[in-house]
Amino acid sequence: MIRGDISRNTLLALISKACTFPHLAETHAQLIRNGYQHDLATVTKLTQKLFDVGATRHARALFFSVPKPDIFLFNVLIKGFSFSPDASSISFYTHLLKNTTLSPDNFTYAFAISASPDDNLGMCLHAHAVVDGFDSNLFVASALVDLYCKFSRVAYARKVFDKMPDRDTVLWNTMITGLVRNCCYDDSVQVFKDMVAQGVRLDSTTVATVLPAVAEMQEVKVGMGIQCLALKLGFHFDDYVLTGLISVFSKCEDVDTARLLFGMIRKPDLVSYNALISGFSCNGETECAVKYFRELLVSGQRVSSSTMVGLIPVSSPFGHLHLACCIQGFCVKSGTILQPSVSTALTTIYSRLNEIDLARQLFDESSEKTVAAWNAMISGYAQSGLTEMAISLFQEMMTTEFTPNPVTITSILSACAQLGALSFGKSVHQLIKSKNLEQNIYVSTALIDMYAKCGNISEASQLFDLTSEKNTVTWNTMIFGYGLHGYGDEALKLFNEMLHLGFQPSSVTFLSVLYACSHAGLVREGDEIFHAMVNKYRIEPLAEHYACMVDILGRAGQLEKALEFIRKMPVEPGPAVWGTLLGACMIHKDTNLARVASERLFELDPGNVGYYVLLSNIYSVERNFPKAASVREAVKKRNLSKTPGCTLIEVNGTPHVFVCGDRSHSQTTSIYAKLEELTGKMREMGYQSETVTALHDVEEEEKELMFNVHSEKLAIAFGLITTEPGTEIRIIKNLRVCLDCHAATKFISKITERVIVVRDANRFHHFKDGICSCGDYW
């Protein structure tokens, strides 16, 4: 072969020094001119360099100009195209198998597996590697672990990892990274601990990789242990390690240490700034977050979407609407608003600030919606009480290519629970089964909550028993569910079982069990639990705990004890406590104590019309109509308006809402005819309308008419004419069910031989054979 004046070594040196495509093109020309166009070492080096500068088309053309490429050149092509969106790498792998006599080596398999566009193809490559004897190769194993973790096949990744006879630092790091990426934080920390215990050499990547898991777990002691280990091994002052430690201490609410660590970084980069800004923001120190954000801008570094997401005070949004709007303006100018993570964070903060229209506008204008964006908007609607909008948006999501994840499911189940949409909740349950999400602890807990709040406590209990993994929230949910339905003994039994199994009760646990005691008349038990909470578990009671204790005593008729309890409270009693006492005064018709409670309430919460209504009703019960009238007159003078009562009933998956005296329904004539028929039968059985709390200046006959058309009676009548005989009727009332409707529903359940389940503002009532589950104690 005739060659020019330039040697191979010179050409290789020119290729190594070239950093742009024009330089490489000139070198390629020299390569041809000097007769090295088929020299595999030179061509391989040039091909590799073409990939480095992004000239993939020219790299492909160069490859096909070589008559007999070797395995090294194939490997360069497979690796080079691994970052391509198409399946070029796999095509070259297939070309290698079908059109040459060459055998793939460990690098071939590692590069091809890394380039695999899906897990199924990755499994095929895994099988090929096993057949060719490369299943124990460290390079191939690391690629397989990375592949399986990338596609959330964590169990497969773990099998590959566990079966390796020898494991190097890279493989351990890959396994830890994959577990963190899949939110398996406990497992990733455990693998790290195993690595240390087995004496495997750690590097700075190992430490930096595991720290995000520690941060998410908020395990400050583990973080400090890793920090000590990093100091011992000489990695502590590595920038990536310091950044990871900043995240750990920030997430563990130690921002002072995070700030100190940040000061140890000689030249903080964008990632370090992001960690500190996010740390201050998530700890409610918004001013400090803004300060460091400004410092970052002054340093001349270009902010990223992660910077903006960390700056947005999602965890402590209240009082920061102006800041959120300013951040949005900056994001629009900088172009980061186009990043889904940024628009989703802004959607979330607007939702939490109850600026739901701004949130929806952002969501609608987002050019690239993600599952997280759908979740933020659905959750925003659910948390704002706009449950029908949440369900509607979820249904719209189901028509897209997006698949709901556990966050979506828990949000929509929350909406179903609020609305009492049992039929829709059941359809979501079917979706959960089809997606195999039942084992997710958050999904299973949300399901239990949905069934309990939609009136099906037996289904909730069954699901609870079948749930293999439970946390404190799961136990709290079931205990609260029992309390909601008046099953105080079951709630107490579950609470004791929870303690026996070693679960640590939270403030919410005690609130749930005290609530159950109050609705079941368990005075002694409630008193013991409250004192155990304070003295044994050292949990400081909130206003809700105190209100529950007042409710327990008040409902049982121990009003003086309730007042004494209030006066001995170590904190100033608020509206919740005095309001509970006023409600107990209504039950037991104690005007004197009612006056004491109402005077405090009118001072503490003068705009709440409910307290005026309660006091007026108490006076009406005692036939003190002038006093009742004066209270109502005060309401008129203050321009206060009572929340109108409404009742929802779901029939064949369609919700129907009734208000008092409603005649807007398409079946109004049949509804009122049914109600009149029932009233006649009820009177024959001894029913008399409870009209004592009605306006005193209305004739008795007119009072009866007012009560006969209460929304819950209309809903029950509608349920009776639209459902099959013998089926259960479920209704939801937005206010506390009145004395008259409670009595009437008992008669209706006996006459129609139906079970009628009523959810009011306080609890569930199960009516059957003329008896209510509450035992007239509500």
Side-chain angles (χ1 to χ4, degrees):
M1 183 183 290
I2 299 172
R3 300 183 188 276
D5 298 333
I6 301 177
S7 68
R8 174 197 282 177
N9 288 341
T10 305
L11 283 170
L12 288 172
L14 286 172
I15 294 169
S16 297
K17 289 178 182 178
C19 53
T20 64
F21 175 67
H23 289 160
L24 287 171
E26 288 178 16
T27 309
H28 188 191
Q30 289 293 331
L31 185 145
I32 296 170
R33 184 177 177 182
N34 287 273
Y36 288 101
Q37 65 268 35
H38 295 151
D39 182 77
L40 285 174
T42 313
V43 170
T44 300
K45 184 69 175 177
L46 180 59
T47 306
Q48 190 175 37
K49 201 70 175 179
L50 284 168
F51 277 118
D52 289 345
V53 299
T56 54
R57 187 166 57 86
H58 295 83
R60 180 194 291 267
L62 181 59
F63 170 83
F64 282 111
S65 72
V66 178
K68 285 189 176 181
D70 63 2
I71 192 64
F72 300 105
L73 185 54
F74 264 104
N75 288 349
V76 168
L77 263 291
I78 294 169
K79 182 184 180 183
F81 278 108
S82 63
F83 301 104
S84 176
D86 56 22
S88 295
S89 287
I90 307 303
S91 298
F92 279 104
Y93 170 77
T94 306
H95 178 65
L96 167 68
L97 295 183
K98 290 184 176 180
N99 302 318
T100 75
T101 58
L102 299 170
S103 297
D105 62 12
N106 58 327
F107 294 104
T108 315
Y109 280 116
F111 296 148
I113 289 165
S114 297
S116 182
D118 59 67
D119 52 337
N120 290 325
L121 187 54
M123 287 181 191
C124 290
L125 291 168
H126 187 179
H128 287 192
V130 171
V131 170
D132 282 353
F134 292 108
D135 53 318
S136 295
N137 181 271
L138 284 168
F139 203 44
V140 174
S142 292
L144 284 168
V145 169
D146 184 63
L147 171 92
Y148 286 131
C149 287
K150 184 167 66 178
F151 293 104
S152 298
R153 297 273 195 164
V154 177
Y156 288 177
R158 195 63 196 261
K159 278 187 178 179
V160 172
F161 178 80
D162 289 340
K163 285 184 178 180
M164 286 296 293
D166 296 304
R167 288 172 278 199
D168 63 359
T169 304
V170 174
L171 181 58
W172 282 92
N173 290 354
T174 305
M175 189 70 251
I176 294 169
T177 302
L179 290 168
V180 173
R181 188 192 298 161
N182 284 277
C183 303
C184 301
Y185 304 125
D186 287 314
D187 291 337
S188 64
V189 172
Q190 186 56 54
V191 169
F192 175 80
K193 288 178 178 178
D194 292 343
M195 186 179 182
V196 174
Q198 292 181 29
V200 181
R201 185 183 65 82
L202 277 68
D203 57 18
S204 59
T205 302
T206 318
V207 177
T209 297
V210 77
L211 284 172
V214 180
E216 291 299 327
M217 293 166 65
Q218 297 182 0
E219 290 283 358
V220 70
K221 288 184 179 178
V222 176
M224 291 169 75
I226 293 174
Q227 184 181 20
C228 291
L229 186 62
L231 275 166
K232 182 180 177 182
L233 297 172
F235 304 140
H236 183 270
F237 296 102
D238 180 279
D239 287 356
Y240 294 108
V241 173
L242 284 171
T243 300
L245 287 168
I246 289 167
S247 294
V248 170
F249 286 103
S250 295
K251 289 282 177 73
C252 296
E253 301 181 2
D254 187 355
V255 287
D256 291 332
T257 300
R259 194 201 314 256
L260 187 66
L261 289 165
F262 181 80
M264 294 179 183
I265 302 175
R266 285 182 293 117
K267 283 190 70 176
D269 62 3
L270 180 62
V271 179
S272 304
Y273 268 106
N274 289 353
L276 191 66
I277 290 166
S278 175
F280 278 119
S281 184
C282 72
N283 281 286
E285 297 197 25
T286 310
E287 289 183 12
C288 289
V290 172
K291 174 195 165 189
Y292 279 96
F293 175 72
R294 286 175 177 157
E295 187 179 298
L296 174 62
L297 293 179
V298 170
S299 72
Q301 296 193 57
R302 187 179 179 83
V303 300
S304 66
S305 57
S306 297
T307 317
M308 304 317 300
V309 171
L311 180 63
I312 298 167
V314 172
S315 56
S316 54
F318 303 108
H320 295 303
L321 176 59
H322 178 68
L323 176 61
C325 292
C326 290
I327 292 172
Q328 184 181 354
F330 181 90
C331 292
V332 170
K333 288 180 181 178
S334 63
T336 51
I337 194 71
L338 298 174
Q339 296 296 320
S341 58
V342 175
S343 58
T344 299
L346 285 167
T347 299
T348 303
I349 191 173
Y350 283 137
S351 296
R352 291 184 179 176
L353 289 168
N354 209 27
E355 295 289 340
I356 206 72
D357 291 336
L358 285 174
R360 185 58 192 260
Q361 185 181 349
L362 255 174
F363 175 79
D364 290 339
E365 290 175 354
S366 177
S367 56
E368 185 186 345
K369 291 183 177 67
T370 60
V371 173
W374 286 93
N375 290 349
M377 198 64 245
I378 291 168
S379 175
Y381 277 133
Q383 289 169 8
S384 299
L386 301 170
T387 49
E388 291 181 19
M389 294 292 288
I391 290 172
S392 174
L393 192 62
F394 175 78
Q395 290 172 324
E396 185 182 330
M397 180 186 180
M398 293 301 293
T399 65
T400 69
E401 74 274 16
F402 294 101
T403 301
N405 64 13
V407 177
T408 326
I409 298 297
T410 53
S411 295
I412 203 62
L413 286 173
S414 172
C416 292
Q418 290 179 54
L419 191 60
L422 182 61
S423 297
F424 192 77
K426 285 181 176 178
S427 69
V428 175
H429 192 177
Q430 290 304 314
L431 176 67
I432 291 166
K433 288 179 178 178
S434 69
K435 300 293 182 185
N436 294 318
L437 293 173
E438 283 183 298
Q439 296 307 310
N440 183 287
I441 192 167
Y442 303 106
V443 171
S444 58
T445 300
L447 262 179
I448 293 165
D449 184 60
M450 185 276 293
Y451 276 113
K453 288 179 179 174
C454 286
N456 197 336
I457 191 66
S458 58
E459 182 70 24
S461 178
Q462 189 176 348
L463 273 170
F464 178 83
D465 292 338
L466 291 171
T467 302
S468 55
E469 184 186 356
K470 300 180 180 77
N471 60 15
T472 302
V473 179
T474 314
W475 288 90
N476 293 350
T477 300
M478 195 65 240
I479 291 168
F480 180 79
Y482 278 136
L484 196 61
H485 288 263
Y487 299 149
D489 290 331
E490 286 83 350
L492 277 177
K493 181 182 175 185
L494 202 62
F495 174 67
N496 289 324
E497 185 182 338
M498 174 186 176
L499 298 181
H500 177 71
L501 290 172
F503 286 90
Q504 189 69 18
S506 66
S507 175
V508 176
T509 312
F510 283 105
L511 187 61
S512 299
V513 76
L514 288 172
Y515 176 87
C517 290
S518 72
H519 285 284
L522 303 173
V523 181
R524 179 182 57 79
E525 294 85 346
D527 186 62
E528 289 174 357
I529 287 165
F530 181 84
H531 283 92
M533 176 183 78
V534 176
N535 300 320
K536 182 178 178 181
Y537 293 95
R538 303 296 178 187
I539 294 175
E540 189 174 338
L542 302 173
E544 293 84 357
H545 295 100
Y546 288 119
C548 264
M549 278 307 298
V550 173
D551 197 41
I552 288 171
L553 296 167
R555 283 178 188 275
Q558 300 179 24
L559 296 175
E560 290 296 335
K561 277 191 177 182
L563 182 62
E564 184 183 353
F565 178 86
I566 292 172
R567 286 174 173 161
K568 287 182 177 179
M569 281 172 54
V571 294
E572 188 67 29
V577 173
W578 287 111
T580 302
L581 181 63
L582 184 61
C585 291
M586 172 65 193
I587 296 169
H588 298 287
K589 305 176 179 60
D590 190 320
T591 315
N592 294 327
L593 265 185
R595 192 179 296 110
V596 173
S598 59
E599 283 174 1
R600 292 294 297 124
L601 285 165
F602 296 157
E603 290 174 17
L604 293 167
D605 193 6
N608 192 322
V609 70
Y611 304 136
Y612 291 90
V613 173
L614 263 178
L615 184 61
S616 172
N617 287 343
I618 291 168
Y619 283 130
S620 295
V621 167
E622 289 214 327
R623 305 262 173 197
N624 191 342
F625 297 124
K627 282 280 190 183
S630 68
V631 174
R632 292 178 188 270
E633 190 62 33
V635 170
K636 286 181 183 178
K637 284 181 180 179
R638 290 176 174 269
N639 290 321
L640 302 175
S641 57
K642 181 178 179 289
T643 303
C646 65
T647 302
L648 178 144
I649 182 170
E650 190 181 26
V651 176
N652 297 324
T654 304
H656 299 261
V657 179
F658 294 89
V659 295
C660 184
D662 201 337
R663 290 187 176 272
S664 62
H665 199 277
S666 59
Q667 297 189 47
T668 289
T669 304
S670 301
I671 291 168
Y672 276 84
K674 186 66 176 178
L675 201 52
E676 191 174 341
E677 174 198 330
L678 288 169
T679 303
K681 290 180 179 178
M682 285 154 57
R683 284 207 178 104
E684 288 174 11
M685 296 174 69
Y687 165 74
Q688 286 185 325
S689 295
E690 295 280 355
T691 60
V692 71
T693 58
L695 294 171
H696 69 277
D697 55 351
V698 178
E699 291 294 331
E700 196 66 27
E701 188 178 330
E702 214 172 316
K703 289 182 189 178
E704 285 197 27
L705 184 60
M706 288 166 60
F707 280 93
N708 283 341
V709 291
H710 269 189
S711 61
E712 47 264 68
K713 289 181 182 175
L714 294 172
I716 291 170
F718 175 69
L720 289 168
I721 64 175
T722 53
T723 59
E724 292 295 320
T727 56
E728 190 172 273
I729 293 174
R730 299 170 187 269
I731 66 171
I732 298 173
K733 175 77 183 286
N734 67 325
L735 304 175
R736 181 180 181 273
V737 66
C738 75
L739 190 63
D740 178 69
C741 286
H742 191 271
T745 307
K746 288 197 290 185
F747 277 100
I748 294 170
S749 70
K750 189 171 183 66
I751 292 165
T752 61
E753 297 181 347
R754 297 273 200 122
V755 172
I756 302 172
V757 180
V758 179
R759 183 178 111 184
D760 70 4
N762 290 342
R763 58 167 295 161
F764 273 94
H765 301 261
H766 296 256
F767 296 90
K768 184 179 179 182
D769 296 329
I771 298 170
C772 179
S773 61
C774 75
D776 299 336
Y777 189 87
W778 88 104

